[in-house]
């Protein structure tokens, strides 16, 4: 699907969708790391029945594959986010709608009557704009939860995108590369755990998922706030900080240092998923569902909504096959016994557990009335 999409997308779309920070080490490792995890199938198990359903914050998904937020899907195809919603509706799964979607929220929702929806939130420097967005969500009851992106207080250096913009500027003879303005970023950079979550609770009653968790410490910190019902282990598809740990290694860190997190909140994961076997590995290690970001965009570029449907169909079929061959009749049957992660043990963080220190860092008292947001 990606190969076909490369021949159909504009150079602008390619530079935006494919680019990653610096040397793209994190982007590549997100997917490559799954090769180091071996599956451990159990045989002589009745695998006639295979149920892929799971739940996220109490909402049933027919499949454990969801669509992560990705901006401007209309760069790939005019069906855009509506096409993604239609595909998610067909497979009764989750779409997290990007804050920077290319189509109006209500139109996207209408295109997916059987989908589950989350809304990606950035808290902006223009706090009035963020308040307007949150007020709008009160008029859209189909949005079941907020997904607060926390891993991008400042943009990464995405060179392919910068080169395209500079070339575009030169082509328009308006600015040279050296005269191009510095990269602007509208996200508020002074957000902190207690201050931000306390303020957000004054603006919405929706449950919150934090997207962009990259260490076990922050996974544990999320469990200290009752309004946080889930986290997404993610590094922005390698578009924020390069050379960070792949999300699946962060999941392994959680199992090592604070496994109680998996019982307290829903843990989701995205980044580098290209095969159903990778989905099965993440589920076996404790993820409730697995997200894909670029893949639906490539599907869109190839065939609009039908291309996204085919993308989901491939991954869901492969995941079903993986579960059957592992000897699992349903997602809850999967567990650590189904994977061998020993090849990655040496790459895990080996410092001391610091859960008490985490609590001290994030639980300082804050007077909501005094929040400077």
């Amino acid at each position: 699907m990606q190969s076909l999409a490369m021949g159909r997308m504009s150079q602008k779309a390619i530079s935006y969708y494919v680019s990653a920070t610096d040397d793209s080490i994190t982007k590549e490792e997100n997917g490559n790391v799954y090769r180091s995890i071996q599956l451990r199938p159990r045989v002589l198990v009745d695998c006639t029945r295979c149920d892929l359903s799971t739940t996220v914050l109490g909402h049933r998904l027919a499949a454990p594959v969801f669509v992560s937020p990705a901006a401007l899907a209309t760069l790939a195809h005019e069906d855009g986010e509506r096409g993604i919603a239609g595909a998610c509706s067909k497979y009764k799964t989750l779409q997290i709608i990007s804050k920077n979607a290319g189509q109006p929220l209500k139109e996207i929702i209408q295109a997916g009557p059987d989908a589950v929806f989350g809304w990606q939130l950035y808290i902006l420097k223009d706090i009035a704009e963020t308040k307007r967005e949150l007020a709008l969500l009160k008029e859209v009851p189909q949005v079941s939860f907020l997904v607060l992106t926390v891993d991008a207080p400042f943009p990464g250096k995405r060179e392919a995108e910068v080169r395209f913009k500079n070339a575009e500027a030169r082509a328009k003879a308006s600015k040279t590369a050296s005269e191009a303005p510095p990269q602007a970023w509208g996200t508020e950079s002074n957000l902190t755990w207690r201050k931000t979550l306390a303020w957000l609770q004054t603006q919405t009653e929706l449950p919150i998922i934090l997207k962009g968790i990259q260490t076990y410490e922050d996974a544990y910190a999320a469990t200290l706030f009752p309004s946080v019902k889930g986290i997404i282990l993610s590094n922005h598809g390698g578009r924020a900080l390069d050379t960070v740990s792949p999300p699946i290694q962060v999941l392994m860190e959680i199992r090592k240092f604070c496994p109680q997190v998996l019982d307290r909140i829903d843990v989701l994961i995205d980044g580098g998923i290209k095969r159903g076997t990778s989905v099965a590995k993440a589920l076996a290690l404790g993820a409730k569902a697995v997200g894909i970001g670029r893949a639906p965009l490539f599907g869109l570029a190839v065939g609009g909504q039908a291309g996204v449907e085919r993308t989901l169909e491939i991954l869901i079929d492969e995941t079903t096959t993986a579960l059957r061959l592992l000897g699992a009749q349903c997602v809850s049957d999967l567990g650590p016994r189904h994977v061998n992660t020993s090849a990655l043990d040496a790459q895990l963080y080996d410092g001391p557990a610091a859960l008490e220190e985490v609590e001290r860092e994030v639980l300082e008292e804050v007077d909501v009335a005094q929040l400077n947001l």
Side-chain angles (χ1 to χ4, degrees):
M1 198 70 75
Q2 180 175 349
S3 297
L4 289 171
M6 289 300 103
R8 302 189 185 190
M9 292 191 297
S10 68
Q11 191 57 45
K12 179 178 182 179
I14 291 172
S15 68
Y16 185 69
Y17 292 159
V18 179
S19 64
T21 298
D22 296 344
D23 297 306
S24 298
I25 292 170
T26 290
K27 177 191 172 185
E28 297 303 320
E29 189 61 16
N30 280 350
N32 291 340
V33 68
Y34 283 95
R35 297 170 180 258
S36 298
I37 300 174
Q38 296 177 330
L39 290 170
R40 304 184 67 248
R42 301 302 302 272
V43 300
L44 294 178
V45 177
D46 182 359
C47 59
T48 306
R49 172 182 170 273
C50 187
D51 178 10
L52 286 188
S53 65
T54 187
T55 59
V56 172
L57 274 60
H59 299 275
R60 183 183 183 276
L61 309 182
V65 178
F66 69 92
V67 176
S68 290
L72 298 176
T74 46
L75 284 178
H77 191 279
E78 62 184 7
D79 284 359
E81 287 83 7
R82 291 193 300 260
I84 295 175
C88 288
S89 181
K90 178 177 179 178
Y91 288 99
K92 296 180 173 59
T93 192
L94 164 67
Q95 177 187 9
I96 301 175
I97 301 170
S98 171
K99 153 78 174 69
N100 297 309
Q103 295 168 330
L105 173 59
K106 291 183 179 180
E107 291 184 15
I108 298 169
I109 297 290
Q110 290 170 357
D114 293 321
V116 175
F117 292 103
W119 169 259
Q120 181 193 34
L121 177 70
Y122 285 97
I123 295 180
L124 306 177
K125 295 181 187 298
D126 182 357
I127 197 64
E129 174 62 23
T130 300
K131 289 180 178 179
R132 285 192 292 271
E133 290 178 12
L134 292 170
L136 173 64
L137 290 180
K138 295 177 182 178
E139 304 173 10
V140 189
Q142 296 91 336
V143 173
S144 300
F145 45 82
L146 289 176
V147 180
L148 176 61
T149 296
V150 295
D151 60 355
F154 193 79
K157 181 189 176 190
R158 303 193 285 267
E159 293 178 352
E161 199 176 337
V162 171
R163 290 189 186 104
F164 174 81
K165 290 178 179 178
N166 285 339
E168 192 175 46
R170 288 194 299 271
K172 292 179 180 179
S174 60
K175 294 183 184 293
T176 66
S178 61
E179 294 170 340
Q183 191 166 11
W185 197 244
T187 304
E188 183 55 74
S189 58
N190 71 354
L191 306 182
T192 59
W193 280 96
R194 185 139 187 168
K195 177 179 71 172
T196 302
L197 293 172
W199 176 82
L200 197 52
Q201 282 187 281
T202 70
Q203 303 297 312
T204 182
E205 296 180 355
L206 287 172
I208 297 168
I209 291 178
L210 300 182
K211 179 179 182 293
I213 300 299
Q214 299 171 79
T215 62
Y216 84 83
E217 292 97 331
D218 284 341
Y220 178 74
T223 69
L224 304 176
F225 297 89
S227 60
V228 176
K229 305 300 183 183
I231 57 175
I232 302 178
L233 308 181
S234 175
N235 52 45
H236 226 90
R239 292 166 64 83
L241 179 63
D242 203 12
T243 70
V244 301
S245 297
I248 195 69
Q249 284 187 214
V250 180
L251 183 54
M252 292 170 61
E253 273 190 23
I254 292 171
R255 297 200 70 90
K256 177 180 178 181
F257 290 104
C258 50
Q260 63 269 38
V261 167
L262 298 170
D263 296 322
R264 294 180 182 177
I265 56 177
D266 284 355
V267 176
L268 288 71
I269 189 171
D270 70 14
I273 300 295
K274 297 181 180 178
R275 285 287 183 185
T277 48
S278 298
V279 175
K281 291 170 184 178
L283 296 173
L285 287 169
K288 293 292 293 287
V290 179
I292 52 175
R294 291 181 174 94
L297 300 175
F298 297 144
L300 266 181
V302 173
Q305 177 175 326
V308 185
E309 291 176 359
R310 179 62 177 143
T311 298
L312 288 171
E313 180 184 30
I314 291 170
L315 274 176
I316 290 169
D317 285 351
E318 288 185 359
T319 304
T320 301
T321 298
L323 261 67
R324 283 190 161 126
L325 292 176
L326 281 168
Q329 293 185 337
C330 59
V331 171
S332 61
D333 284 347
L334 292 171
R337 67 187 181 279
H338 288 110
V339 290
N340 178 1
T341 61
S342 59
L344 296 175
D345 286 348
Q347 297 181 46
L348 295 186
Y349 176 70
D350 63 355
L355 301 186
E356 291 184 0
E357 182 179 338
V358 170
E359 293 183 15
R360 287 195 299 270
E361 287 176 353
V362 304
L363 290 181
E364 74 277 10
E365 289 297 324
V366 170
D367 181 354
V368 175
Q370 301 299 317
L371 295 183
N372 183 26
L373 281 173

